[in-house]
Amino acid sequence: MTHTLEALKSGELIGTKRLKLACGLKTFPEAILSLVDTLEILDLSDNQLTELPDSISKLKHLKIIFFARNNFTKFPKILKEFPVLNMIGFKSNQIQTVPENVFPPKLNWLILTDNKIKKLPKSIGDCGLLQKCALAGNQIEELPPEMANCLNLELIRISANKLKSIPKWLFELPKLSWVAFGGNPAARQIPLNTDFESFQWEDFTIKEQLGEGASGFISKAHWISKKEDIAVKIFKGDVTSDGLPEDEMGISIAAGAHDNLISVLGKIKNHPEKKSGLIMRLISPTYINLGNPPNFKTCTRDVFDETSVFNGDELLKIAKSIASVCSQLHSKGINHGDLYAHNILVNKTAECLLGDFGAASFYDVNSDLAHNIERIEVRAYTCLLEDVLGLVSENEMSNELRNKWQKLIADCRVTDVKSRIGFSEVLEVLEGF
């Protein structure tokens, strides 16, 4: 819900915990300080702000603050003064400078996507509670080595920057599970599949939109010459919180065919707005999302509907399917980067499809980093297993079998990344269940 400045000034919002204002603000409204006793979430996205007054530090109860699509050029130092502030978002501003010692002590979720940042402060290494860090679409040339001290970091997006090298310490962080690093000079370029067929835009009749993601729109369409319905994904072309749409498109093609991947049938050519697009198999409406994206409270972990219930056989079928597709991806040097239940479609017989390559990165399978890159994703996989195992009721599984699952999860998330097993070994273990 978006509030009005008039309602704020009149006093009718006194007592609110969440405030959202989007009304062309050029200066911070001091009237917000009237909410000093209760305000926890402040969203001033879609304004024209360039700085924050020191007086904002009076809002001591603030936990979450958003300034997406404003005109900040420098990360505000005053934010370090907030004792319980844990989530900060400055997506799509003009930030060039992030000074030293600007982060609050409880920071665990930082969003600086789509800015002009060239360098991160060394003091980011002091953010011991940092779990989620979105840095895609900047001009960062290197990550400060002090960031190796962020031992609770679980998700990082560093795609579409100017990294000259990808540091080894990144893939040694004990809890890292979801990482996107494509679109950098240091990342391996996605091989161009010149044999992949393109089809004329005029050969498709768009019916209804099926969904919208960060990178594009998916619509149901009729393929006129083939007389069949398919799905078409048209990419927006802008950098997303995960990376570059062209990388997603290239990796979707490079992933190849697999029973648990949505089949890519071809590319679109001659789009009237010169946009890129993929033609994909139309998925039956009997498939639904296995989970829902993380919320403010869970940060890095998916949330599930109360109606989501599985038995042991269904868990095993899902586990084998996703391990199999991940094994294929990593054999091709593809890191999915967003291995989550909310990116998996499942039907009533537990057949599942992994989708959304928006955070995927391509890497050299013969590189020194390859072993650890796969094992970082293995940790994401075991988070998925743990979540779905939690949806299996006790009377649906013996204690002995549940202990087997818990041992697999524990073995795949050991602190020493290189000691974890890979996806092919995971499949071998699952054959014994």
Side-chain angles (χ1 to χ4, degrees):
M1 176 184 177
T2 302
H3 302 98
T4 66
L5 198 55
E6 290 73 21
L8 175 66
K9 290 179 176 178
S10 72
E12 66 179 82
L13 301 181
I14 293 293
T16 190
K17 290 185 176 182
R18 182 170 187 162
L19 176 68
K20 178 177 174 63
L21 292 174
C23 49
L25 297 171
K26 293 184 177 180
T27 58
F28 182 83
E30 292 291 324
I32 292 177
L33 301 181
S34 65
L35 308 178
V36 65
D37 292 330
T38 58
L39 193 63
E40 296 180 0
I41 301 175
L42 175 61
D43 187 350
L44 295 182
S45 299
D46 299 297
N47 286 291
Q48 300 174 46
L49 299 171
T50 58
E51 59 184 5
L52 297 176
D54 288 351
S55 58
I56 191 177
S57 63
K58 294 179 181 178
L59 298 168
K60 296 295 185 184
H61 298 290
L62 270 186
K63 296 179 180 178
I64 297 170
I65 199 163
F66 293 120
F67 294 103
R69 296 170 297 279
N70 275 276
N71 298 320
F72 287 88
T73 59
K74 186 175 182 180
F75 190 97
K77 285 187 176 183
I78 193 63
L79 294 184
K80 70 178 180 182
E81 303 297 334
F82 290 81
V84 294
L85 184 62
N86 67 282
M87 183 176 184
I88 297 175
F90 278 94
K91 182 179 180 180
S92 300
N93 276 256
Q94 304 292 320
I95 295 177
Q96 300 177 32
T97 306
V98 184
E100 293 288 350
N101 304 311
V102 292
F103 301 122
K106 295 290 181 73
L107 182 66
N108 77 329
W109 192 337
L110 177 65
I111 304 167
L112 295 174
T113 306
D114 189 23
N115 279 282
K116 298 178 179 180
I117 301 164
K118 293 183 178 180
K119 186 178 181 181
L120 293 173
K122 295 178 181 179
S123 56
I124 194 170
D126 297 330
C127 297
L129 300 179
L130 187 63
Q131 290 177 259
K132 205 167 187 175
C133 188
L135 303 167
N138 280 284
Q139 299 172 27
I140 299 168
E141 295 184 359
E142 63 178 358
L143 294 176
E146 291 81 3
M147 207 171 175
N149 295 322
C150 297
L151 299 180
N152 282 301
L153 189 64
E154 293 184 77
L155 182 150
I156 186 169
R157 302 291 187 236
I158 192 67
S159 303
N161 273 277
K162 295 185 177 181
L163 288 180
K164 297 173 183 176
S165 65
I166 300 173
K168 288 185 178 181
W169 58 256
L170 181 63
F171 300 103
E172 294 172 358
L173 291 174
K175 294 185 179 180
L176 190 63
S177 308
W178 302 275
V179 57
F181 52 87
N184 283 284
R188 190 177 182 191
Q189 300 304 303
I190 301 163
L192 184 64
N193 189 338
T194 54
D195 297 329
F196 206 67
E197 195 168 359
S198 296
F199 299 90
Q200 295 285 350
W201 174 252
E202 291 79 7
D203 199 17
F204 301 92
T205 302
I206 301 298
K207 293 187 174 182
E208 70 266 18
Q209 184 173 314
L210 300 174
E212 178 183 1
S215 61
F217 301 93
I218 299 177
S219 301
K220 183 178 180 180
H222 185 69
W223 198 337
I224 299 170
S225 60
K226 292 185 179 288
K227 298 180 180 179
E228 62 177 297
D229 287 342
I230 45 85
V232 172
K233 181 166 187 176
I234 301 299
F235 293 89
K236 297 175 183 176
D238 300 322
V239 65
T240 72
S241 56
D242 294 329
L244 296 171
E246 55 261 39
D247 286 352
E248 177 182 352
M249 183 169 173
I251 288 180
S252 296
I253 295 169
H258 191 284
D259 288 344
N260 302 108
L261 284 176
I262 299 169
S263 301
V264 180
L265 308 175
K267 294 189 292 187
I268 292 291
K269 63 181 178 181
N270 297 326
H271 187 276
E273 297 176 16
K274 297 182 178 180
K275 292 185 176 181
S276 300
L278 288 177
I279 307 155
M280 299 178 294
R281 178 168 65 89
L282 187 65
I283 305 304
S284 166
T286 58
Y287 282 85
I288 61 172
N289 289 93
L290 178 57
N292 302 306
N295 57 30
F296 294 157
K297 186 176 180 180
T298 64
C299 187
T300 58
R301 299 298 286 266
D302 272 347
V303 293
F304 295 83
D305 295 334
E306 292 181 3
T307 55
S308 295
V309 179
F310 296 92
N311 61 40
D313 290 340
E314 291 167 338
L315 169 61
L316 183 59
K317 190 172 183 178
I318 292 168
K320 284 184 175 180
S321 298
I322 300 304
S324 175
V325 73
C326 286
S327 181
Q328 173 171 308
L329 293 177
H330 282 275
S331 73
K332 294 171 176 282
I334 296 171
N335 183 70
H336 186 274
D338 210 12
L339 188 59
Y340 269 112
H342 69 262
N343 287 324
I344 296 171
L345 295 172
V346 64
N347 65 12
K348 289 184 178 180
T349 59
E351 295 172 321
C352 58
L353 296 165
L354 176 64
D356 195 344
F357 284 92
S361 309
F362 196 66
Y363 67 93
D364 183 355
V365 293
N366 297 312
S367 70
D368 293 340
L369 296 176
H371 180 92
N372 279 18
I373 289 174
E374 179 175 346
R375 278 132 188 97
I376 291 294
E377 190 131 278
V378 164
R379 191 181 190 280
Y381 172 78
T382 53
C383 290
L384 169 67
L385 290 189
E386 184 177 52
D387 288 342
V388 180
L389 177 61
L391 302 175
V392 178
S393 61
E394 290 190 12
N395 59 1
E396 287 285 351
M397 182 181 290
S398 68
N399 288 335
E400 181 183 359
L401 183 55
R402 191 175 291 272
N403 288 337
K404 274 189 174 184
W405 281 107
Q406 290 171 341
K407 184 179 186 306
L408 173 62
I409 290 167
D411 288 346
C412 289
R413 68 190 331 168
V414 292
T415 301
D416 183 27
V417 178
K418 66 179 181 296
S419 298
R420 298 173 191 158
I421 59 177
F423 282 108
S424 59
E425 292 92 343
V426 169
L427 281 169
E428 290 178 14
V429 173
L430 291 175
E431 288 300 325
F433 277 47

